[in-house]
């Protein structure tokens, strides 16, 4: 009996030792796994951090490049420099104005303000009276007129306020929204088009026949 009791005691001791060893081994495995996961997480965080830093640096470099090209401003451009300016940037909004027309002054005010918040696009203004060649080449017949140029081709036109409001009391936001329709700028607002604009929606959203801005545009370009 004593021998059996001793054997039982020994067996229990062995079982406990085995269990303790298993637990210890499992704990070690868990610890190793946690360390591995921590290592992976740290590597992942480091990778995300590096990507974030690169993105920020790229964005800063891009902003610096755009500013060096005049983005963020709203400057007069002479006729002889127009083609260079309009092809140096991916997107250009060019306002052709004449004299001291009150409506042109309103466009100046709004476009200058919009330019500050849309660095992705270069905003310029062209004095039509001093640019007869451009006015003829681009068939500018009414003032103010805005020509949107994307990748060197005419993508859109805004003539006066007819596309913006029934009256000349249109808003900055309506002009901003209008410029975004064919990709002139990025617009994330919630502007609700006026009834006048809705009537012109089909005409406005038609795809203009794309020509390089150096090519002569016939009058059909305005209606296609």
């Amino acid at each position: 009996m004593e021998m059996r009791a001793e054997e039982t005691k020994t067996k229990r001791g062995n079982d406990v030792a085995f269990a303790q060893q298993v637990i210890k081994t499992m704990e070690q495995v868990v610890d190793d796994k946690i360390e591995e996961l921590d290592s992976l997480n740290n590597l992942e965080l480091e990778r995300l951090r590096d990507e974030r830093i690169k993105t920020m640096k790229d964005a800063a470099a891009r902003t610096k490049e755009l500013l060096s090209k005049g983005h963020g401003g709203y400057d007069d451009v002479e006729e002889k420099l127009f083609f260079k300016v309009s092809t140096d940037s991916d997107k250009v909004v060019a306002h052709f104005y004449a004299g001291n027309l009150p409506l042109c002054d309103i466009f100046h005010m709004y476009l200058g303000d919009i330019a500050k918040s849309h660095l992705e696009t270069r905003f310029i203004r062209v004095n039509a009276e001093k640019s007869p060649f451009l006015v003829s080449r681009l068939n500018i017949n009414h003032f103010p007129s805005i020509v949107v140029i994307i990748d060197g081709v005419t993508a859109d036109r805004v003539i006066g306020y007819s596309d913006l409001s029934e009256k000349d009391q249109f808003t900055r936001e309506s002009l901003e929204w209008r410029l975004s329709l064919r990709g002139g700028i990025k617009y994330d607002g919630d502007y609700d088009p006026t009834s006048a604009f809705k009537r012109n929606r089909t005409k406005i959203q038609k795809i203009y026949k794309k020509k390089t801005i150096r090519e002569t545009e016939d009058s059909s370009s305005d209606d296609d």
Side-chain angles (χ1 to χ4, degrees):
M1 293 291 293
E2 292 180 358
M3 183 177 293
R4 288 183 179 179
E6 186 66 27
E7 289 177 353
T8 300
K9 183 177 180 181
T10 301
K11 185 176 183 302
R12 287 178 179 174
N14 291 338
D15 290 343
V16 170
F18 177 77
Q20 290 176 339
Q21 182 61 40
V22 170
I23 292 173
K24 184 177 180 180
T25 301
M26 291 178 64
E27 289 177 344
Q28 184 61 49
V29 170
V30 171
D31 289 341
D32 291 342
K33 190 64 176 178
I34 290 174
E35 184 177 351
E36 179 184 348
L37 291 174
D38 285 341
S39 177
L40 289 175
N41 287 336
N42 288 335
L43 290 174
E44 181 68 12
L45 289 174
E46 187 69 20
R47 183 182 67 81
L48 292 175
R49 175 179 174 276
D50 290 343
E51 288 181 355
R52 178 63 174 170
I53 291 175
K54 183 179 184 303
T55 298
M56 293 174 65
K57 287 183 176 180
D58 289 346
R62 177 59 175 166
T63 297
K64 184 177 180 180
E65 177 189 3
L66 293 175
L67 291 174
S68 71
K69 292 181 178 180
H71 289 238
Y74 177 57
D75 307 310
D76 272 292
V77 171
E78 296 180 1
E79 184 176 63
K80 62 182 180 181
L81 297 176
F82 178 80
F83 291 115
K84 181 180 185 305
V85 170
S86 60
T87 54
D88 277 350
S89 298
D90 296 335
K91 297 181 179 182
V92 176
V93 169
H95 172 210
F96 287 81
Y97 67 96
N100 296 315
L101 293 177
L103 188 55
C104 288
D105 291 337
I106 296 175
F107 270 56
H108 286 325
M109 178 177 64
Y110 287 157
L111 290 171
D113 190 33
I114 293 172
K116 296 175 183 177
S117 55
H118 289 279
L119 293 182
E120 74 274 11
T121 301
R122 175 78 190 274
F123 283 75
I124 62 175
R125 58 187 191 180
V126 181
N127 188 327
E129 296 172 344
K130 297 181 180 180
S131 309
F133 173 76
L134 283 177
V135 169
S136 175
R137 177 63 66 89
L138 299 177
N139 288 308
I140 306 295
N141 300 311
H142 303 280
F143 304 99
S145 283
I146 294 176
V147 177
V148 177
I149 302 164
I150 300 178
D151 295 329
V153 300
T154 301
D156 196 6
R157 291 173 181 255
V158 179
I159 301 174
Y161 62 83
S162 60
D163 291 343
L164 302 164
S165 172
E166 294 182 356
K167 299 180 180 180
D168 59 355
Q169 300 301 316
F170 62 90
T171 65
R172 171 197 182 280
E173 190 171 18
S174 67
L175 178 56
E176 184 178 22
W177 184 81
R178 175 62 185 85
L179 291 174
S180 72
L181 275 189
R182 291 194 47 77
I185 60 175
K186 298 176 182 178
Y187 177 68
D188 299 322
D190 55 0
Y191 174 72
D192 183 21
T194 63
S195 58
F197 193 90
K198 290 177 181 178
R199 289 198 298 270
N200 290 331
R201 176 182 290 275
T202 301
K203 176 181 177 181
I204 292 169
Q205 292 186 330
K206 283 183 178 179
I207 298 177
Y208 286 89
K209 181 179 180 181
K210 290 189 174 183
K211 295 184 177 182
T212 65
I213 58 174
R214 289 184 178 276
E215 294 177 333
T216 302
E217 295 181 319
D218 55 35
S219 58
S220 64
S221 297
D222 293 338
D223 300 322
D224 289 347

